[in-house]
Amino acid sequence: MAILEVKNIKKNFGKTEVLKDVSFKMEKGEVVSIIGSSGSGKTTLLRCINFLEKADKGQIVLNGEVIFDGEEHKKMSNEEIRKKQLNFGFVFQSFNLFPQYSALENVTLAPKLLAKEREDFKQNKAEIYREIEENAKRLLNSAGLGEKYDSYPCQLSGGQQQRVAICRALALNPEIMLFDEPTSALDPEITNEVLKVIKSLADDNMTMIIVTHEMAFARGVSDRVIFMDNGVIAEEGKPEEIFTNPKSKRLQEFLSNVRM
């Protein structure tokens, strides 16, 4: 059974059709990269999957359960949406760290807030917080940030901030990680720091969807590549098929204009 099914998703902004009947499936542990020109609908698709935007039509199915139905979405409360968002870890282009909190505090903030909803929170608060902080330190260590627990975002490089953001998303133990062009705001010389962390997640069988302009990375890490064009999936397949034998003319044109 697929871990994720996106079925016939449509999204308009006013009279502009941004997503036009988009459908695809993913297996657990699969890494899917989404490529395409700016304005093709890549980021909007990612945001609809994570409920940051509400699709107008279609369904999103997670582990066989319908978690979004375009016909029913107006009935969902903010609390329901928040709980469903926890299935996904989202890493933004621009880090979105809280500037007033240290790296460790940024990673532990959401888990500590969620912990307050546990029935045993009052009795076991100290132990729960200790486990959350230990997990956050483990994540930061694995991202090469073991010496940056107490550093604030302004004291970190762009690559370090993005790695903190990845750790923050992982701290909630999501089913699927979503990356929205995670290196687009970084200087080329530090892009590899972030790509190395994402590659390590792929090696650990994390299920991921990565919107990216890094074609070499998409080719080397992805199990499957989706090419979006004008709000539709114009072509999809294994990286070697997409990059060495593109079938659609639009994909051929796109690849001829990007750095491989």
Side-chain angles (χ1 to χ4, degrees):
M1 181 178 68
I3 187 173
L4 179 69
E5 295 180 74
V6 174
K7 298 182 177 182
N8 310 114
I9 291 294
K10 297 182 180 182
K11 177 64 179 177
N12 290 7
F13 290 105
K15 295 181 179 180
T16 303
E17 281 188 292
V18 179
L19 297 177
K20 308 170 185 176
D21 201 15
V22 174
S23 299
F24 68 94
K25 295 181 180 181
M26 287 185 69
E27 301 298 323
K28 187 174 179 60
E30 189 177 15
V31 178
V32 172
S33 287
I34 302 178
I35 63 173
S37 302
S38 296
S40 59
K42 307 183 302 295
T43 292
T44 299
L45 175 59
L46 217 59
R47 291 173 67 87
C48 285
I49 292 172
N50 191 45
F51 300 96
L52 291 173
E53 300 284 354
K54 289 184 181 180
D56 298 313
K57 294 184 179 180
Q59 289 186 331
I60 297 171
V61 183
L62 184 70
N63 289 319
E65 177 189 353
V66 177
I67 63 170
F68 174 83
D69 189 319
E71 301 299 322
E72 302 289 333
H73 78 269
K74 292 181 180 178
K75 299 178 183 179
M76 282 197 298
S77 67
N78 289 334
E79 179 66 15
E80 288 176 309
I81 292 172
R82 184 180 70 84
K83 288 181 178 179
K84 291 178 179 183
Q85 285 178 321
L86 294 175
N87 292 297
F88 304 95
F90 200 102
V91 178
F92 299 86
Q93 296 180 30
S94 54
F95 324 139
N96 287 4
L97 298 178
F98 293 104
Q100 71 272 34
Y101 296 134
S102 68
L104 184 62
E105 289 168 334
N106 264 281
V107 178
T108 60
L109 180 62
K112 285 183 175 180
L113 289 173
L114 285 173
K116 294 179 180 179
E117 299 176 8
R118 290 175 49 166
E119 292 182 1
D120 64 339
F121 176 72
K122 288 185 178 180
Q123 297 132 316
N124 300 312
K125 177 180 177 180
E127 177 64 16
I128 291 170
Y129 277 7
R130 184 186 65 78
E131 290 176 358
I132 289 172
E133 292 194 2
E134 285 183 355
N135 184 55
K137 289 178 179 179
R138 178 185 62 80
L139 291 169
L140 289 167
N141 289 341
S142 68
L145 297 167
E147 297 180 355
K148 300 294 183 180
Y149 297 160
D150 299 322
S151 297
Y152 290 87
C154 65
Q155 298 171 315
L156 301 173
S157 70
Q160 289 169 336
Q161 289 185 63
Q162 191 63 300
R163 282 182 280 158
V164 172
I166 293 172
C167 293
R168 178 179 61 183
L170 290 169
L172 293 173
N173 195 30
E175 290 263 16
I176 301 174
M177 285 287 289
L178 308 175
F179 294 86
D180 184 16
E181 298 186 21
T183 60
S184 66
L186 302 178
D187 294 331
E189 62 267 23
I190 58 176
T191 289
N192 284 338
E193 298 175 5
V194 174
L195 296 182
K196 183 178 179 181
V197 174
I198 299 174
K199 173 66 165 58
S200 71
L201 295 177
D203 292 340
D204 290 338
N205 294 315
M206 171 63 74
T207 309
M208 295 189 286
I209 303 175
I210 307 168
V211 169
T212 183
H213 286 298
E214 299 286 340
M215 296 300 112
F217 179 73
R219 187 171 187 170
V221 172
S222 309
D223 297 299
R224 187 154 47 96
V225 176
I226 289 174
F227 170 62
M228 290 193 67
D229 181 53
N230 195 29
V232 301
I233 294 177
E235 190 168 339
E236 65 178 306
K238 293 185 179 299
E240 57 268 26
E241 298 169 351
I242 291 292
F243 291 111
T244 63
N245 188 30
K247 295 180 176 61
S248 75
K249 183 178 179 180
R250 291 288 293 167
L251 177 55
Q252 293 172 22
E253 293 173 350
F254 171 76
L255 292 176
S256 70
N257 290 318
V258 297
R259 185 178 60 189
M260 297 295 292

